[in-house]
Amino acid sequence: MKIFAVLLIALAVALAPATVRTAQAAVKTAPFRLEGKIVEVSKGWIQVEVIKVVQGSGFKAGDKVKITESSRTRILQAGKRVSNSKLATGEMVEVSGQMVEGKTPTFRATTVSILK
């Protein structure tokens, strides 16, 4: 019985690193930064019509991109942090963050700056 338990533990240890490596390889991110106009605001995300791509790929001027925000997302106006309630349809913004590649790319905002 002890031999079986030792073999089972050894098998679990041998397989664990392969699983971790596979999971890490599956998630790729790339930075993005764009300027655009907010066309829709909802809890946890905004949709922006891209005016200018400053950095990144996966979108172009004229595209509408859904960008998720989290508690870590910084919302700035005139360089000062403000509440996400300041985000409104029609506002011009610069958004920077990470694109998470996958079947459907996800755009996660780290900073949303409201432009004048």
Side-chain angles (χ1 to χ4, degrees):
M1 189 68 165
K2 287 182 181 179
I3 293 173
F4 178 72
V6 170
L7 288 174
L8 187 58
I9 291 170
L11 180 62
V13 169
L15 293 177
T19 303
V20 170
R21 271 185 259 127
T22 303
Q24 289 174 345
V27 177
K28 292 184 181 181
T29 62
F32 76 89
R33 194 168 81 185
L34 60 85
E35 291 179 12
K37 181 178 179 180
I38 297 177
V39 293
E40 189 174 351
V41 178
S42 191
K43 185 176 181 167
W45 59 271
I46 58 174
Q47 186 174 40
V48 175
E49 182 176 352
V50 178
I51 304 297
K52 178 181 175 185
V53 177
V54 180
Q55 177 185 20
S57 61
F59 46 83
K60 63 187 179 311
D63 285 351
K64 290 184 180 173
V65 180
K66 183 177 179 179
I67 301 171
T68 60
E69 55 183 83
S70 70
S71 60
R72 295 183 192 171
T73 304
R74 295 180 311 142
I75 312 297
L76 305 174
Q77 186 172 31
K80 298 186 189 242
R81 198 165 193 162
V82 296
S83 166
N84 61 352
S85 65
K86 293 282 187 177
L87 298 174
T89 302
E91 292 282 355
M92 293 297 295
V93 292
E94 180 178 88
V95 183
S96 61
Q98 293 290 318
M99 178 185 76
V100 180
E101 296 178 6
K103 286 183 183 177
T104 304
T106 303
F107 297 92
R108 296 181 183 162
T110 53
T111 305
V112 179
S113 297
I114 301 170
L115 303 174
K116 187 98 177 148

